[in-house]
Amino acid sequence: MKEYRWASLGCGVIANELAMAMQKQGRTLYAVGNRTHEKAVEFANKYGITKVYDDIHEMFYDDEVDIIYISTPHNTHITYLLEALKNGKHVLCEKSITLNADELNLAVELAKQHNVVLAEAMTIYHMPLYKKLYDIVSSNSLGPLRFIQMNFGSYKEYDMTNRFFNRNLAGGSLLDIGVYALSFVRWFMSEKPDQIVSQVRFAPTGVDEQAGILLMNPKQEMATVSLSLHAKQPKRGMVAFDKGFIEIYEYPRAKKAVITYTEDNHQEIIEIGKTRDALSYEIIDMEKTISKESDEMHLDYTIDVMDIMTTIRNDWNMKYPEEE
């Protein structure tokens, strides 16, 4: 398989993980760009990256770049996505890939026009554990899916200037942590939910601090999602079928699941993959998809999840400045 040249747009936590994942594969990022040039230079020196852009927009026109990984704040994604795609770059973009469904639809159409791969960096779709569980569920050994229960809560100090609560940085629980829970739901549901109800508690800045969501699809598979940015909860996913249920903790980068079979309560432990290799799995799946070896990026699920989040925020009448 061709060795693709990656450029990182951003120098934050995820960009550092990306650079380290490349190093573990015996590779180095080709280039880096950042709004603060000094940080890009620092990042490049740290990881032995030879190319640093004085202006981040140069990245989109560099013929040597094959794939751009975008890890900037949510509300900047669409601008960078459109510029990258129209210049024929494959793009892997941090979640949430865009602010809303209209933005994502624009990017999807542009990717089709230029015959490039567009994907969201959603760890759930790439962890070996979820691929294994997908095979188990697809075998029908657990019977039909009935119910999914999701929790994701973290305790963030009430600092309304940080990105979690900052409306100008597209803060709020739904785009930051809800996207994980909903991606988990979509992974196991056989169809996209078409019935959605929710409740929300707003932070003083007007973003969603806490939310409860109830979903059901045409096959009457149901899910509940509980989110909070100011109350710690376990990152727990539970998927219930006729013949058993699956429990997964720390589910965004999970390596272990426990299946309990309801007939006799015996348990099966599935343990596969490594949490610390989450970015490596994304890199591998992205390159497989670009090379047409297999389609591993699940853009269809990303579109469904964005549709759900957009519907929910419309119900809340919650808009970011870019949407007004």
Side-chain angles (χ1 to χ4, degrees), residues 137-138 140-149 184-191 193 215-217 219-223 238-246:
V137 170
S138 298
N140 205 36
S141 61
L142 291 170
L145 172 64
R146 300 302 184 191
F147 196 81
I148 302 173
Q149 189 176 54
F184 182 107
V185 168
R186 187 64 192 89
W187 183 257
F188 287 101
M189 275 192 170
S190 59
E191 294 182 23
L215 308 155
M216 186 163 72
N217 68 13
K219 289 190 176 177
Q220 296 195 314
E221 299 165 347
M222 297 178 68
M238 189 283 297
V239 192
F241 302 84
D242 262 13
K243 300 177 184 178
F245 59 89
I246 303 170

Side-chain angles (χ1 to χ4, degrees), residues 2 14 18 50 85-86 88 113 144 164 220 234 269 291 323:
K2 172 187 173 182
I14 296 296
L18 175 68
T50 55
L85 295 169
K86 76 179 182 182
Q113 288 174 28
F164 299 106
Q220 296 195 314
I269 296 173
S291 67
E323 299 171 314

Side-chain angles (χ1 to χ4, degrees), residues 36-221:
T36 306
H37 184 257
E38 293 76 14
K39 287 184 179 179
V41 171
E42 210 174 285
F43 185 90
N45 290 336
K46 182 177 180 180
Y47 295 107
I49 300 166
T50 55
K51 182 86 171 183
V52 180
Y53 300 102
D54 294 326
D55 180 341
I56 56 175
H57 296 278
E58 294 171 13
M59 179 184 297
F60 307 122
Y61 300 91
D62 186 345
D63 291 337
E64 296 300 310
V65 172
D66 298 309
I67 309 165
I68 297 176
Y69 193 117
I70 298 174
S71 59
T72 56
H74 301 147
N75 57 327
T76 64
H77 289 177
I78 188 60
T79 300
Y80 297 140
L81 280 173
L82 296 181
E83 193 167 1
L85 295 169
K86 76 179 182 182
N87 284 289
K89 307 303 181 189
H90 304 288
V91 180
L92 183 57
C93 184
E94 258 307 297
K95 53 82 196 165
S96 171
I97 190 168
T98 56
L99 294 185
N100 55 55
D102 286 344
E103 286 186 354
L104 181 54
N105 290 340
L106 276 175
V108 169
E109 285 306 310
L110 201 55
K112 287 178 182 175
Q113 288 174 28
H114 292 274
N115 196 30
V116 290
V117 173
L118 167 66
E120 181 176 58
M122 175 47 63
T123 51
I124 286 168
Y125 300 155
H126 311 291
M127 298 300 293
L129 178 68
Y130 287 101
K131 295 182 180 185
K132 177 67 174 176
L133 291 174
Y134 184 88
D135 290 341
I136 292 171
V137 170
S138 298
S139 74
N140 205 36
S141 61
L142 291 170
L145 172 64
R146 300 302 184 191
F147 196 81
I148 302 173
Q149 189 176 54
M150 302 301 300
N151 294 79
F152 197 143
S154 57
Y155 184 85
K156 307 297 183 188
E157 294 290 343
Y158 260 156
D159 176 1
M160 294 301 148
T161 63
N162 73 24
R163 70 175 185 86
F164 299 106
F165 299 109
N166 191 330
R167 187 168 167 267
N168 293 320
L169 294 176
S173 64
L174 192 61
L175 293 191
D176 193 73
I177 58 178
V179 65
Y180 283 114
L182 291 169
S183 295
F184 182 107
V185 168
R186 187 64 192 89
W187 183 257
F188 287 101
M189 275 192 170
S190 59
E191 294 182 23
K192 174 185 174 183
D194 63 344
Q195 296 184 53
I196 306 165
V197 293
S198 64
Q199 290 185 321
V200 62
R201 172 177 174 169
F202 293 111
T205 53
V207 303
D208 53 309
E209 171 190 319
Q210 193 162 290
I213 303 163
L214 179 62
L215 308 155
M216 186 163 72
N217 68 13
K219 289 190 176 177
Q220 296 195 314
E221 299 165 347

Side-chain angles (χ1 to χ4, degrees), residues 222-238:
M222 297 178 68
T224 62
V225 176
S226 173
L227 307 172
S228 180
L229 288 177
H230 199 58
K232 186 67 176 175
Q233 298 179 66
K235 297 182 185 73
R236 176 181 178 267
M238 189 283 297

